[in-house]
Amino acid sequence: MASQNTFSDFKLASDLSAWNKLQQIYNKKGKSIDVKSEFAKDPKRFEKLSKTFTNYDGSKILFDFSKNLIDDEVFAALIELAKEAKVVELRDAMFAGDHINFTEDRAVYHVALRNRANKPMKVDGKNVAPEVDAVLEHMKEFSEQVRSGEWKGYTGKKITDVVNIGIGGSDLGPVMVTEALKHYGGVLDVHFVSNIDGTHIAETLKNLNPETTLFLIASKTFTTAETITNATSAKTWFLSKTGGDKANIAKHFAALSTNEQEVTKFGIDAKNMFGFESWVGGRYSVWSAIGLSVALYIGFDNFDAFLKGAEAVDKHFCETPLEDNIPLLGGLLSVWYNNFHGAQTHLVAPFDQYLHRFPAYLQQLSMESNGKSVTRGNVFSSYSTGPILFGEPATNAQHSFFQLVHQGTKLIPADFILAAQSHNPIENNLHQKMLASNFFAQAEALMVGKDEQKVKSEGATGGLVPHKVFSGNRPTTSILAQKITPAALGSLIAYYEHLTFTEGAVWNINSFDQWGVELGKVLAKVIGKELDGSNKIESHDASTNGLINLFKEWI
C-alpha cells in the first residue's frame, strides 16, 4: 500500500495566485517583452541574470539567463510562484529521505549516493551513508583490480574489454558519461548493450576475446526481460567460446543488482554483486553501482570527482536563496515557456562532441520524470506539464534543425553548452575558437534576428525580402564551463536533475514514478507468447492481429 501522500494538499499550479499573476503579465506584455530593449534599458542585465557556479575544486560554470524573455516583473512573479508552490518544502522533504514518491512508497534519495562528505542521511530512521560508502569502496577495490591487471580472466590474461548490459537508466547514464569523459579513459575499452534487437549484442561480441572480456549485468531485480535475455546470450557466447565450464563465469561476469538469488542462479559469484536501494530511480542511478562501468573506464578517483561535482550542486540547490538558485531558475523558466508561452519543446545543444549523448540522457531524465498528467492530488492536470526535450551536438545541428529554431512558427527555448577549454586544442585552438564563435553567434542571432530594413540594406529586393527576415527574440540560456572535467559533468547533470525537480514541484506532479512504461511491457509479454506456433491470432484489434499474423508468416 502506498504511503500517505503528505503533499496531496499542495494546490494545482493554476490555482496559485502567482500563476494567475504570471498569466496576467503574459496577457499584458508576455509576447512583447523584447530582450534587445531590455538590455538597452538595463546595462547591468547580464550581471543580474547570469549566475556563476563554483565547484568544489574551484572550477566554474557560468549560466547566462539574460537572453530569456523575462523582465524584473516576470522574474519576481516566478520566484513568488516557487514559494507558493512550496518547491522548498518538497526539496527539503527529498533531502530528508521522506517518501515523496508516494505512488511507489519510496524515498527519492539519489542525492545520498554522492554524499562524499559522509554526513548522516536517513531513510526510515536509518542512516544510509555507511551503506553507500561501502558500495563505493567495493567499486573502488574492484575497478582498481581490473584496471591494474590484478584481476585476471580464467586463462590468466588481464581484462581488456568491459561490456555493460542494461537498459534505460542502467544504460543511458553510463553510456553518456563514458562518452562525455572519453578523454579520461584509455586503460579499458567499454561497450554497451541495451537493445533487445539481436544485432546489438551480436555486433558487440563479434570482435571480442572471451578470455579478456568482463560483463556487467545491470538490473536491480535481475529480472528485466531485455537485460536478462541479452545477458543470457552473452553467457551462451562466453561458454561456447571457452569450453562450457560454468566455473569460468565467476571471473568474467559481475552483477549490478540486489537479487542475490537470481544472480547466483545465473552463475555469478555473490562477491561480484554491487547493490543499490529501492530509493534509487533508474534515471538517477549512474551515481550508484550502475556507474561501475564508468569507474572502470575513467578510474575511481575521477568517478569520485564526478560524484563530488554533483554533490556541490546539491549543496547550492539546498542553501542558495531562490533568486540566485541556478537549477531553480532554470526550472522556473521552463514553466514560463511551457505554460504561458505555449512552448511544447526544449532544445539542448552541446557545443562539444564528447557530449553527443547528453541530450538523449536528458530526454529520459525530463520526459520520464515529468511526462505526467495526474497531480499529487490524484486529479488530472488542466495545464501542460513536461516539455518534449531534444537535441544534438552543434555545430552539426546548425545544418539540420536550426532552420526551424530560427525561422519556424514554433517557439523553442534552447540551452547551449560550451567548455572554454578543449581537451583537444589542435591547430593552436583553431577548432575551439570556431566552435566558440558559433556558440556565441547562435545565441546572439536568435535574440537579435534581422529585420526587413536590414535585409534590404544587404541588397535583397522584392519577394526575397521576407524569406531573409529573422524575427529574433527567441530565448536561449548559455552555459559556459571552463572545461568538461568529471566534476563539471557531475555538476551539469545535477543541474538538470534539480531543474526537472523544480518543474515537477510547481506542476504538483510526482516526478519519480514511471507507470507510463508499464502497459506496453505487459502487452509485450502477452504477445511474446502468441508469437510461438503457427496459429492465427485473433485476440487483438484488427490492425494488431494483421501485423502479428503477417510477421509470423514472414519470420
Side-chain angles (χ1 to χ4, degrees):
M1 176 179 289
S3 62
Q4 182 181 1
N5 178 11
T6 56
F7 298 95
S8 62
D9 60 342
F10 280 28
K11 289 183 178 180
L12 286 170
S14 55
D15 289 339
L16 301 173
S17 60
W19 182 281
N20 293 314
K21 183 176 181 180
L22 281 162
Q23 188 63 62
Q24 292 169 11
I25 293 171
Y26 178 78
N27 292 342
K28 180 178 67 175
K29 63 179 180 181
K31 290 183 178 179
S32 62
I33 293 177
D34 181 71
V35 178
K36 286 187 295 181
S37 299
E38 294 300 322
F39 272 107
K41 286 191 289 185
D42 184 359
K44 294 187 178 296
R45 180 178 172 89
F46 172 74
E47 295 171 37
K48 284 165 54 177
L49 292 177
S50 62
K51 310 293 179 183
T52 301
F53 168 73
T54 302
N55 220 322
Y56 81 94
D57 59 0
S59 63
K60 299 180 187 301
I61 305 174
L62 176 75
F63 294 80
D64 176 17
F65 299 115
S66 65
K67 290 188 176 76
N68 282 283
L69 306 181
I70 57 173
D71 60 11
D72 289 345
E73 187 178 20
V74 173
F75 185 90
L78 286 172
I79 296 299
E80 188 58 35
L81 178 64
K83 292 177 181 177
E84 279 196 61
K86 301 183 181 179
V87 175
V88 168
E89 287 87 338
L90 190 63
R91 176 201 68 190
D92 292 348
M94 177 174 73
F95 277 84
D98 293 353
H99 288 212
I100 66 170
N101 179 358
F102 70 96
T103 63
E104 297 180 298
D105 194 12
R106 291 176 182 171
V108 176
Y109 227 29
H110 49 278
V111 293
L113 298 170
R114 57 245 194 168
N115 172 27
R116 302 311 290 138
N118 255 332
K119 61 186 178 184
M121 297 186 76
K122 296 181 179 181
V123 175
D124 299 325
K126 177 187 175 184
N127 180 18
V128 301
E131 179 184 345
V132 169
D133 202 52
V135 173
L136 287 171
E137 282 299 314
H138 189 196
M139 291 169 65
K140 178 180 181 180
E141 177 188 29
F142 183 78
S143 60
E144 289 180 349
Q145 285 178 338
V146 174
R147 284 171 59 86
S148 68
E150 181 185 345
W151 179 286
K152 293 180 171 58
Y154 79 102
T155 60
K157 294 180 180 178
K158 66 180 292 187
I159 299 298
T160 60
D161 292 84
V162 176
V163 180
N164 186 91
I165 298 178
I167 198 167
S170 298
D171 173 78
L172 281 167
V175 168
M176 181 275 290
V177 175
T178 53
E179 285 296 306
L181 300 179
K182 184 175 283 189
H183 176 79
Y184 297 87
V187 174
L188 298 165
D189 288 327
V190 181
H191 316 268
F192 295 88
V193 174
S194 58
N195 201 330
I196 194 59
D197 183 344
T199 298
H200 204 179
I201 186 79
E203 286 292 338
T204 302
L205 297 177
K206 189 180 289 184
N207 297 314
L208 296 182
N209 179 356
E211 297 178 66
T212 59
T213 300
L214 173 68
F215 294 92
L216 306 180
I217 315 304
S219 172
K220 186 188 297 184
T221 62
F222 220 76
T223 58
T224 308
E226 298 92 339
T227 298
I228 299 307
T229 299
N230 276 325
T232 301
S233 295
K235 183 172 73 169
T236 300
W237 171 84
F238 176 79
L239 292 173
S240 72
K241 298 281 188 180
T242 59
D245 187 349
K246 293 183 179 180
N248 296 332
I249 291 173
K251 281 292 184 182
H252 293 269
F253 283 78
L256 317 180
S257 177
T258 54
N259 191 339
E260 183 173 342
Q261 182 178 351
E262 288 297 323
V263 166
T264 54
K265 181 178 165 185
F266 186 88
I268 297 175
D269 191 327
K271 291 185 293 186
N272 298 340
M273 269 183 63
F274 298 81
F276 50 104
E277 294 300 322
S278 63
W279 39 257
V280 181
R283 55 192 174 277
Y284 303 95
S285 63
V286 72
W287 318 103
S288 72
I290 292 296
L292 181 58
S293 57
V294 178
L296 284 162
Y297 187 61
I298 65 174
F300 190 83
D301 288 346
N302 283 322
F303 185 73
D304 191 50
F306 172 67
L307 298 178
K308 288 178 178 176
E311 180 187 32
V313 170
D314 294 342
K315 181 177 172 65
H316 169 92
F317 186 55
C318 287
E319 298 178 0
T320 306
L322 301 188
E323 291 80 3
D324 295 310
N325 197 303
I326 295 170
L328 180 127
L329 294 177
L332 292 175
L333 283 170
S334 178
V335 171
W336 172 234
Y337 294 125
N338 183 75
N339 295 104
F340 299 95
H341 287 265
Q344 296 179 322
T345 60
H346 188 99
L347 166 62
V348 177
F351 285 69
D352 190 308
Q353 186 58 31
Y354 283 132
L355 292 177
H356 70 105
R357 295 295 293 165
F358 195 51
Y361 175 80
L362 295 182
Q363 282 178 336
Q364 186 196 25
L365 171 63
S366 174
M367 294 196 281
E368 194 168 78
S369 294
N370 290 339
K372 313 290 171 58
S373 55
V374 178
T375 71
R376 288 183 174 273
N378 305 319
V379 297
F380 283 93
S381 167
S382 59
Y383 43 82
S384 174
T385 56
I388 300 163
L389 190 146
F390 74 104
E392 285 288 331
T395 56
N396 200 42
Q398 294 170 199
H399 296 269
S400 56
F401 54 77
F402 268 48
Q403 167 63 44
L404 188 145
V405 179
H406 278 280
Q407 287 187 309
T409 57
K410 295 175 174 61
L411 178 71
I412 303 177
D415 294 352
F416 294 159
I417 304 171
L418 175 74
Q421 299 170 30
S422 172
H423 287 293
N424 300 290
I426 60 176
E427 301 289 345
N428 195 28
N429 259 325
L430 171 65
H431 289 260
Q432 190 67 4
K433 289 176 181 177
M434 288 181 67
L435 184 70
S437 68
N438 281 275
F439 170 82
F440 301 125
Q442 288 294 329
E444 183 179 37
L446 284 164
M447 180 185 75
V448 302
K450 185 187 290 188
D451 61 21
E452 185 177 316
Q453 182 179 353
K454 177 68 172 173
V455 170
K456 288 179 177 178
S457 73
E458 293 175 348
T461 59
L464 186 59
V465 172
H467 294 278
K468 291 196 169 188
V469 169
F470 292 73
S471 65
N473 213 39
R474 301 193 178 211
T476 58
T477 295
S478 297
I479 301 173
L480 180 62
Q482 285 183 291
K483 197 171 192 175
I484 300 299
T485 61
L489 181 65
S491 296
L492 283 174
I493 297 171
Y495 162 75
Y496 280 103
E497 285 181 352
H498 295 320
L499 181 159
T500 302
F501 170 90
T502 299
E503 293 174 327
V506 170
W507 291 324
N508 198 23
I509 57 177
N510 181 6
S511 299
F512 303 104
D513 59 13
Q514 52 279 326
W515 298 108
V517 306
E518 295 300 319
L519 180 58
K521 289 161 67 174
V522 170
L523 293 178
K525 288 181 180 179
V526 173
I527 293 173
K529 295 176 182 177
E530 294 175 336
L531 295 179
D532 294 328
S534 58
N535 57 307
K536 195 169 184 179
I537 300 302
E538 297 178 346
S539 56
H540 303 276
D541 62 272
S543 170
T544 305
N545 286 336
L547 289 166
I548 291 173
N549 290 326
L550 188 59
F551 173 82
K552 292 177 72 168
E553 180 184 330
W554 284 359
I555 192 171

